[in-house]
Amino acid sequence: MGNCISPFTGGLATTSGVKVFTIAELKKATKVFGDQDMIIEESFGGVVRGYIDPKTLSPSKEGLGIAVVVKMCVLRNGYALKEWLVVDFDFLRLNSHPCLVRLIGYGSNRDYLFLVSEYFPNGSLERHIYRESRSKSLPWEIRLKVSIGAAQGLAFLHSRKSTGLYRGNLTASKILLDPVCIRLTFS
């Protein structure tokens, strides 16, 4: 598979390589967390698409910036908060691998915690397997890339067993497809 080339080139002051976003920046980047850009709604919060400038990581408009995913975690849900902090945030903040989704930044307010990461317009493997209009199946070349990318990501996760991430719940919805590579996510 090789390494994925990331469009993020910012040399900003960040915490452990990730930017701390203000709520105002996240609202601007996501059109105030608008329904039109909602990717998925879950019990812990939701996932919405937003746009940022690739160099400054400041909010941008659609078409001018690059797309990102903003994952929202409701603070009243204790289990989701612990999972979010330990699994998603800490692991992605401290570990990097070409087959894992890149954490770009985070933010919080009184009610929510937010994770900002890469957006994959091709969606998940699940979307391609179970889509309604399956006119043709995935080509063998893509299937091979998916298998290799998932195996590389899993090998990395298993090598980090002591971090507490070793949960064993990889599903097709957590394998994201990109023309350059395959990435695993925890959301």
Side-chain angles (χ1 to χ4, degrees), residues 8-150:
F8 302 100
T9 57
L12 303 172
T14 60
T15 302
S16 299
V18 297
K19 177 181 167 101
V20 180
F21 287 92
T22 66
I23 299 308
E25 288 176 315
L26 293 172
K27 283 182 176 180
K28 187 174 179 183
T30 62
K31 299 179 196 165
V32 192
F33 307 108
D35 288 340
Q36 69 275 11
D37 288 315
M38 183 66 70
I39 296 170
I40 188 168
E41 231 174 313
E42 297 176 332
S43 60
F44 66 83
V47 180
V48 66
R49 183 179 54 213
Y51 296 89
I52 62 172
D53 181 282
K55 291 186 175 145
T56 64
L57 301 183
S58 60
S60 184
K61 293 183 179 180
E62 185 175 355
L64 298 176
I66 54 171
V68 294
V69 169
V70 179
K71 180 178 177 182
M72 303 175 282
C73 181
V74 179
L75 288 176
R76 68 179 177 269
N77 187 339
Y79 177 76
L81 174 61
K82 180 180 178 188
E83 180 177 330
W84 187 89
L85 287 172
V86 173
V87 177
D88 290 2
F89 179 71
D90 277 344
F91 187 84
L92 291 174
R93 182 176 57 89
L94 299 171
N95 294 277
S96 174
H97 188 272
C99 292
L100 293 181
V101 169
R102 182 174 174 267
L103 178 66
I104 298 163
Y106 66 96
S108 66
N109 68 10
R110 183 174 58 126
D111 301 316
Y112 290 94
L113 293 171
F114 304 92
L115 263 183
V116 180
S117 60
E118 295 172 289
Y119 172 72
F120 289 82
N122 291 337
S124 68
L125 178 60
E126 178 182 59
R127 182 177 140 226
H128 290 276
I129 292 173
Y130 299 112
R131 67 179 178 238
E132 289 180 22
S133 60
R134 274 187 50 181
S135 57
K136 63 178 188 174
S137 57
L138 290 173
W140 280 104
E141 181 182 339
I142 301 296
R143 293 180 193 190
L144 184 59
K145 284 183 180 182
V146 168
S147 300
I148 292 170

Side-chain angles (χ1 to χ4, degrees), residues 1-7 97-99 118 120 178 180-183:
M1 292 294 317
N3 289 337
C4 292
I5 300 184
S6 175
H97 188 272
C99 292
E118 295 172 289
F120 289 82
D178 182 63
V180 180
C181 65
I182 307 303
R183 303 260 183 127

